[in-house]
Amino acid sequence: MRTGTRPTARGWVFTAVGLVVLVGAPALGQRDVLRLGVLLLALVLVAAWSTGRAARTLELVSRSKDELVEAGGAATVRLSVLGRARAGVRLVVEDAAPLALGGTTRLPVPRLRAGETLDLEYRVRPETRGSYALGPADVVADDVFGLVRSRRTLGTSGVLDVLPRVHPLGELGLGEVGGARGSSAGAAAAAEPDDVSIREYRVGDDLRRVHWRSTARRGAVMVRSDEHPGRPDVVVLLDTREDAHAGRGAGSSLEWAVSAAASASAHLQRRRHRVRLLHDGAYDPPRELDETSAARGLLRSLARLRPGGADGLARSVAQLGRTEAALLVAVLGDVDEDDVAPLLAARPLGVPALAVLLRTREWAGTPAPRGRDEAAGGPGAAHPLERVRLVLARAGWRTAVAGPGESVPDVWARLTRADGHGHHASPPPPSREVPS
């Protein structure tokens, strides 16, 4: 643990004056002034000894925090210190935190008897999702004259995961979006009395999931699996390409997309569907996690998500082509017809699909550029995003277009109000996007 003791600005002045007096007074024959110089230096030395000793008396016993907090919410960080705080030295515990959490927090320590434990706490209110480091904590000791400051690192850092905002959404069941899979899934669920599937025991499985009746019948240890036949996978495809989004901070199109993906995932998880997040060519969380761990892992993944590379969407689509799913939800940034063509081919046959298309350039504060046909004034010209929407709709997708001034629940409501043929039910794009 790092320890350091050094004079303050006032301490340096006392030290300099004391040294000058100590050297000059004998030459001038001023013995009384010499005693003053000795006194000044002695004060600095005593202050250094007392603050250094006081800083070593405290130990950090524990650090606790809210495991997860939603952006815009409040989290309480608690620190417990053990030791002794004497009179004559001011002790402060400083806990390092990024500016997004309000910066370093200073927590004064009152007088403590030897062996006494003190609980300190402070609150943070992050506005932007992310994974933030907390700590390490330092104890800072100052003498009463403000001559010397001693600092000692107590160690023990932590991480606070700030989740994206999750909005309540309107109801959407698999049966409401059509497809034979929804019906067959429901039939399978009805046929299974325990509403679970049974499989052989694997190392690491919770023994509380052992299905004794099946174990006795088959002569091998069988466990209940979270792979419910009536709750098939829902894939949420999130376009995280950095060049497909615009804007900065909490008001960027990427943050809107992450919030939409989180809201859709939470909505479907509450309906007891297994949701798998697909972004940047990988699924998160792993399929093997149980239902509770998978929900928590998905939220943590969204909290820690960073913009991806230019090939992120293509790699995700390649993964999608090898996946069985009962519903596909895609939240896409700046895309064109070439981007969505592989997506249409990768969609599993008969699987209902929903797509949210972002008017990304509006997050940058600039109007979207016109297509080549439109710029040329050709008849029937359409905005590029409108052409993408039409391509998806003709392939059976339900679509909704979102801009920076729209809320996630409103866009979701338009998406779920689309008719069974994939026609868009949202208001038409602004007149500046679609030429007259």
Side-chain angles (χ1 to χ4, degrees):
M1 290 182 287
R2 185 177 71 252
T3 304
T5 300
R6 58 182 302 170
T8 62
R10 182 183 300 173
W12 282 117
V13 171
F14 272 51
T15 302
V17 172
L19 289 174
V20 169
V21 171
L22 197 64
V23 172
L28 299 175
Q30 300 292 330
R31 291 185 176 274
D32 292 337
V33 177
L34 179 63
R35 294 191 187 96
L36 176 61
V38 172
L39 177 61
L40 293 177
L41 291 176
L43 283 175
V44 175
L45 291 174
V46 170
W49 174 80
S50 62
T51 57
R53 182 183 179 190
R56 290 191 293 272
T57 60
L58 282 188
E59 296 291 341
L60 184 63
V61 178
S62 65
R63 170 193 292 275
S64 64
K65 64 183 185 329
D66 295 350
E67 287 189 1
L68 298 171
V69 60
E70 186 174 318
T76 301
V77 182
R78 297 180 178 87
L79 305 172
S80 294
V81 294
L82 171 67
R84 179 177 180 180
R86 298 178 175 86
V89 177
R90 294 188 294 268
L91 291 180
V92 174
V93 173
E94 293 185 351
D95 199 28
L99 291 177
L101 299 182
T104 299
T105 300
R106 294 173 55 86
L107 305 168
V109 179
R111 292 187 63 180
L112 293 176
R113 295 188 297 272
E116 186 177 355
T117 300
L118 174 67
D119 293 325
L120 303 170
E121 67 178 43
Y122 64 95
R123 292 174 70 80
V124 295
R125 188 178 295 275
E127 294 297 328
T128 306
R129 66 161 187 95
S131 185
Y132 299 99
L134 294 173
D138 288 351
V139 58
V140 180
D142 292 289
D143 66 284
V144 291
F145 298 109
L147 301 177
V148 176
R149 170 168 295 176
S150 292
R151 178 182 295 272
R152 177 169 170 262
T153 300
L154 300 179
T156 310
S157 300
V159 175
L160 179 65
D161 287 323
V162 180
L163 306 182
R165 297 180 190 271
V166 176
H167 304 273
L169 303 180
E171 290 300 318
L172 173 69
L174 294 180
E176 296 171 354
V177 290
R181 289 176 179 263
S183 301
S184 62
E192 176 56 61
D194 292 326
D195 196 26
V196 294
S197 59
I198 307 299
R199 59 169 173 79
E200 289 190 10
Y201 172 83
R202 293 196 291 257
V203 176
D205 285 337
D206 190 342
L207 293 178
R208 291 174 296 182
R209 290 186 174 274
V210 173
H211 194 271
W212 298 108
R213 186 172 58 188
S214 298
T215 297
R217 184 171 64 249
R218 302 188 186 186
V221 179
M222 309 298 291
V223 297
R224 294 180 175 88
S225 170
D226 282 316
E227 297 172 0
H228 305 286
R231 302 167 193 166
D233 281 358
V234 174
V235 175
V236 176
L237 172 62
L238 179 59
D239 182 6
T240 62
R241 295 171 299 157
E242 186 171 16
D243 58 358
H245 291 279
R248 301 179 65 182
S252 68
S253 64
L254 178 60
E255 295 306 311
W256 196 100
V258 170
S259 179
S263 301
S265 300
H267 173 71
L268 293 167
Q269 283 173 336
R270 282 193 295 268
R271 294 178 64 86
R272 307 189 70 183
H273 296 298
R274 179 187 290 272
V275 179
R276 304 188 69 202
L277 176 68
L278 175 59
H279 67 94
D280 225 25
Y283 281 99
D284 208 350
R287 189 186 186 97
E288 290 74 18
L289 294 179
D290 60 54
E291 190 170 324
T292 302
S293 298
R296 184 180 297 271
L298 188 147
L299 292 175
R300 288 190 182 276
S301 176
L302 286 171
R304 300 174 180 181
L305 183 144
R306 293 291 179 267
D311 63 342
L313 181 59
R315 291 191 291 114
S316 294
V317 171
Q319 286 288 338
L320 180 63
R322 298 190 290 268
T323 301
E324 287 293 328
L327 174 66
L328 172 60
V329 180
V331 183
L332 304 175
D334 189 15
V335 293
D336 56 26
E337 294 171 85
D338 292 335
D339 292 323
V340 299
L343 182 59
L344 299 181
R347 172 191 173 190
L349 184 64
V351 172
L354 313 175
V356 177
L357 305 173
L358 304 186
R359 295 194 292 266
T360 302
R361 293 179 179 86
E362 293 187 11
W363 266 272
T366 58
R370 297 183 300 172
R372 288 190 299 268
D373 293 339
E374 183 182 354
H383 183 276
L385 189 60
E386 178 65 11
R387 292 199 297 269
V388 170
R389 189 194 67 75
L390 291 174
V391 168
L392 290 171
R394 288 167 184 163
W397 288 61
R398 293 188 178 188
T399 63
V401 179
E406 299 177 271
S407 69
V408 172
D410 288 345
V411 174
W412 179 264
R414 296 207 309 268
L415 190 64
T416 57
R417 283 201 303 267
D419 63 38
H421 300 289
H423 294 160
H424 186 54
S426 62
S431 58
R432 63 180 176 82
E433 295 185 3
V434 181
S436 57

